[in-house]
């Protein structure tokens, strides 16, 4: 789950920089469009919030699974 969270962050960062597939709809691409068209603030807030929530949940799930299945922890 930590690797998936890192992949989401990497993909959105690369798409924000314009290095991804321009024909695909991505959160990073939406953030880049929002930066170019500042009058539509929802193009910045919703994708940014979506990235944050997804990465945070994946990290929390991964942490919970690690704590549940770690045999070395007392």
């Amino acid at each position: 789950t930590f690797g998936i969270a890192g992949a989401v962050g990497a993909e959105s960062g690369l798409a924000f920089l314009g290095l991804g597939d321009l024909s695909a709809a991505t959160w990073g691409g939406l953030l880049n469009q929002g930066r170019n068209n500042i009058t539509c603030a929802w193009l910045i807030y919703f994708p940014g919030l979506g990235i944050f929530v997804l990465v945070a949940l994946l990290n929390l799930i991964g942490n919970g699974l690690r704590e549940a299945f770690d045999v070395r922890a007392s």
Side-chain angles (χ1 to χ4, degrees):
T1 57
F2 296 118
I4 295 171
V8 168
E11 187 278 329
S12 61
L14 289 173
F16 176 75
L17 295 174
L19 299 174
D21 185 11
L22 297 178
S23 63
T26 62
W27 284 338
L30 286 174
L31 285 171
N32 191 17
Q33 288 178 3
R35 183 180 57 98
N36 293 334
N37 186 8
I38 199 67
T39 58
C40 295
W42 62 272
L43 283 176
I44 296 171
Y45 295 130
F46 291 131
L49 183 64
I51 293 168
F52 173 76
V53 168
L54 179 64
V55 170
L57 285 177
L58 286 171
N59 283 329
L60 288 173
I61 290 170
N63 192 22
L65 288 173
R66 184 177 49 94
E67 287 181 6
F69 293 118
D70 191 11
V71 296
R72 290 179 280 153
S74 301

